[in-house]
Amino acid sequence: MKHLIKIGSILLVILLLASCGPNRTQEDIDKALNDDEKTAKPKSLTMWVDGDKQMAFYKKVTKDYTKKTGIKVILKNTAQDDQVDNLSLDGPSGNGPDLFFQPHDRAGDAYLQGLAAEIDFTDEELKGYSNEALQALNYEGKQLALPVIVESTAIVYNKKLVKTPPKTMDEVEKIAKDVTHKDKKQYGFMFDAKNFYFNYPFLFSQGGYIFKEEKDGFNTNDVSVNDGFNTNDVSVNDPSVIKNGERLQSWYDKGYITKSANQDVIVGLFKEGKVGMFVTGPWQTNEFKEALGDDFGTATFPTDNGKEMKPFLGVRGWFISEYSEEKYWAKNLMLYLTNKDNMQKYTDEMQEITGRTDVSSKNELLKPYEEQAQNAIPMPNIPEMSQVWDPMGNAAVFMSNGKDPKEALDEAKNGIDEQVEIMNASKK
C-alpha cells in the first residue's frame, strides 16, 4: 500500500494538466511509434529504479541484457513518488530516463503531461501478462506500460486465535465476537476502517461503484467520460453501500474495531499476538512470519452474502519516456525485464506478486495474494480518482464517530461531484 496509494496531484496541478496536456494528433502518434523505432543499437539506455532492493535486482538482470545485446544499462535510484515530477524537468533537458517505474494510478497523469509514451505491442508480445494488470496500465485505449508488480489486500491471521480462516462474513463476525476481549486488548478481527483503501471491499461488496464504467468504451466528445469511466455517474451512496456502512458502524458499537485502530496500531498488535486477523497487503509478509512463525497464515477474502469481496488492485510497471530517443530499444529492454524468466526471478527474490499469469510465487504465504489479485478491482487510473480519497476517507471518519451512514456517504458523493465538475469545466 505504501507504494500504491499515492492519492494523486492536488487540484491545481490536475486542472493545469487537463488544460495543458498534449494534443496528440494521429500523425504525432504514428511518429512516436514508427519514426522513433530506430533499430541501430544505442550505446546505453537509462532506467530509473525505485529503491535499493530494485537497484540490486536490476543490476544483475541488466548485466545479462548487456551481454546479450551489447547495450549498457545505466541505473539511477529515483524514488517512485518523485519520478513523474522529476521527468517533467529532466526529460526536456535530455537528462531523463528511457524507462521509468510508476503505479498505474499515475498513468493518466503521466500521459496527460506528455511524459509517458504510447507503446505498440503485438498479441504475441503480450502473451503471459495479466489482462487486468495490462488494462490498469492502459489509458484511453493506449498501452502505456508493462506490469511488474500487482498488489491487493487479503486476510492475514494468527492461528493461535483463529484456527481456520473464515469463508463468509458471518464467520468473520462470529470470530470477532468470540475472540475479542477489550480488557486484554485482544481482538478477533480488525482493519483500518477509516482508510478507503482498506474499507472499499467491505462497503462495495453488494453494489455501488466509484465511477460508472461505460461499455461502449471511450467518448472523447463528452468530457465526463474519461478512459471508459463516466465521471458524472458516481454511486458511492448506493443503498447497498449505505447498508454496509451501517454494518461497519455496528462493528465500532460492538467493540470489534476501535477508532484508534489505524494500520500502524493494528500491525503492532498483530505482531504481539493480540489480533486474530486483519486486512493488509503482501508487503509485510516476511515481518509477520518472523514475529509469529508457524502461527502466521494468509487467506483470500471471505464471501459476503454469497458474493465475492473484491479489494482494490494496484499495479506497478515500466513506462517509456516520451522524451526517449531510443523507444525501439527501450521497448526491447522493457520486454526483457518483464519476461517469464526474469519475473520468476523477481518474485523469488523480491517476494512480490508479479503481473504475469504464467509466473507463480514459491512462497505459500503469498499464494492467497496471487489468487486475490485475480479477483480484485483495479483502482481507476484517471485524474478524477484523486477527488475520491478525501471525501470517502472523511465519510469513514464521520461514521466511526456515529454519524448516520447515509448522511456521511451522501456528503461524500456531493463532494466528489463538485470537484469533478470543476475538473470537467476546465476541459471545455
Side-chain angles (χ1 to χ4, degrees):
M1 180 192 66
K2 61 186 178 182
H3 299 296
L4 290 170
I5 312 176
K6 183 169 178 66
I7 300 307
S9 305
I10 61 173
L11 179 59
L12 175 60
V13 173
I14 289 180
L15 290 174
L16 289 172
L17 297 184
S19 59
C20 301
N23 183 19
R24 288 174 169 83
T25 65
Q26 189 59 48
E27 183 180 354
D28 293 332
I29 294 171
D30 292 341
K31 185 176 187 300
L33 293 178
N34 298 310
D35 292 354
D36 287 333
E37 291 197 351
K38 298 178 294 185
T39 57
K41 289 183 182 179
K43 292 182 179 179
S44 66
L45 295 167
T46 300
M47 294 167 53
W48 280 356
V49 298
D50 178 40
D52 294 338
K53 287 183 67 178
Q54 272 202 358
M55 176 68 78
F57 177 82
Y58 284 118
K59 274 185 178 179
K60 293 180 288 187
V61 174
T62 55
K63 185 177 180 181
D64 290 338
Y65 180 79
T66 299
K67 287 181 181 177
K68 291 177 182 294
T69 65
I71 301 171
K72 181 180 180 181
V73 181
I74 300 169
L75 305 177
K76 293 187 177 181
N77 196 339
T78 307
Q80 172 188 279
D81 290 352
D82 298 332
Q83 288 188 18
V84 168
D85 291 339
N86 289 355
L87 184 54
S88 66
L89 299 174
D90 292 343
S93 65
N95 295 317
D98 296 287
L99 295 183
F100 63 105
F101 189 75
Q102 282 294 289
H104 82 272
D105 56 343
R106 296 299 304 275
D109 183 6
Y111 176 73
L112 289 173
Q113 290 192 61
L115 305 176
E118 302 168 30
I119 314 168
D120 187 20
F121 292 104
T122 66
D123 291 342
E124 185 66 26
E125 287 171 332
L126 294 181
K127 279 186 178 178
Y129 295 94
S130 160
N131 288 332
E132 292 82 4
L134 287 172
Q135 187 58 42
L137 294 166
N138 186 294
Y139 186 75
E140 294 187 342
K142 306 167 183 68
Q143 196 64 42
L144 300 180
L146 286 180
V148 176
I149 302 165
V150 296
E151 289 180 338
S152 71
T153 54
I155 302 294
V156 298
Y157 66 102
N158 183 338
K159 297 175 184 178
K160 282 187 177 180
L161 300 177
V162 178
K163 301 300 182 185
T164 304
K167 299 296 185 184
T168 67
M169 278 305 300
D170 288 340
E171 292 179 20
V172 169
E173 295 205 50
K174 185 178 186 305
I175 291 170
K177 180 180 179 181
D178 293 344
V179 178
T180 298
H181 298 285
K182 292 187 68 176
D183 55 330
K184 299 179 183 178
K185 291 187 177 180
Q186 177 178 295
Y187 301 90
F189 168 67
M190 295 186 82
F191 72 103
D192 190 355
K194 291 181 289 188
N195 187 319
F196 185 47
Y197 180 74
F198 290 113
N199 72 31
Y200 173 81
F202 296 96
L203 289 177
F204 289 81
S205 64
Q206 303 302 304
Y209 45 83
I210 300 172
F211 300 117
K212 186 174 180 60
E213 293 191 53
E214 295 288 343
K215 293 182 179 179
D216 57 354
F218 316 104
N219 180 358
T220 55
N221 295 320
D222 184 350
V223 296
S224 68
V225 177
N226 190 351
D227 197 29
F229 293 99
N230 187 340
T231 58
N232 279 352
D233 191 344
V234 175
S235 186
V236 299
N237 62 341
D238 182 87
S240 64
V241 181
I242 293 170
K243 185 175 181 180
N244 280 349
E246 292 169 350
R247 179 180 64 180
L248 188 153
Q249 193 173 68
S250 76
W251 293 340
Y252 285 106
D253 296 338
K254 295 173 182 177
Y256 298 160
I257 54 180
T258 66
K259 295 179 183 179
S260 61
N262 62 34
Q263 192 70 359
D264 289 340
V265 169
I266 299 171
V267 166
L269 290 172
F270 183 72
K271 289 167 66 176
E272 293 172 12
K274 297 290 188 180
V275 174
M277 57 186 174
F278 82 105
V279 178
T280 191
W283 42 83
Q284 291 176 296
T285 298
N286 290 340
E287 182 181 346
F288 294 148
K289 178 65 175 177
E290 288 180 11
L292 299 180
D294 291 340
D295 290 327
F296 174 54
T298 57
T300 56
F301 274 93
T303 59
D304 188 10
N305 196 27
K307 293 185 177 182
E308 297 289 338
M309 297 180 69
K310 297 183 178 184
F312 277 132
L313 177 71
V315 183
R316 286 181 282 160
W318 288 113
F319 292 70
I320 296 177
S321 168
E322 188 73 273
Y323 293 99
S324 170
E325 296 182 355
E326 302 292 347
K327 291 185 175 67
Y328 175 88
W329 288 102
K331 174 185 168 182
N332 181 270
L333 174 57
M334 172 193 288
L335 287 165
Y336 179 80
L337 297 175
T338 60
N339 68 27
K340 181 179 178 180
D341 289 343
N342 283 324
M343 284 293 90
Q344 187 64 58
K345 293 175 185 176
Y346 194 93
T347 190
D348 292 342
E349 182 170 329
M350 306 288 277
Q351 296 296 295
E352 307 239 37
I353 310 303
T354 78
R356 294 191 67 105
T357 57
D358 53 4
V359 169
S360 182
S361 172
K362 297 173 185 175
N363 186 339
E364 291 298 322
L365 292 169
L366 291 179
K367 289 189 180 298
Y369 289 107
E370 284 186 338
E371 184 179 346
Q372 191 65 68
Q374 299 301 314
N375 192 28
I377 302 294
M379 283 182 284
N381 63 2
I382 58 176
E384 288 87 345
M385 185 62 189
S386 66
Q387 304 308 312
V388 174
W389 297 100
D390 282 348
M392 290 304 293
N394 290 338
V397 171
F398 295 151
M399 287 188 286
S400 75
N401 289 325
K403 187 165 188 171
D404 178 69
K406 184 179 187 308
E407 290 184 22
L409 291 165
D410 282 347
E411 289 177 4
K413 174 182 164 37
N414 291 337
I416 296 168
D417 284 341
E418 288 174 4
Q419 294 304 317
V420 168
E421 183 178 359
I422 293 172
M423 294 178 68
N424 286 341
S426 71
K427 300 177 188 177
K428 296 177 180 178

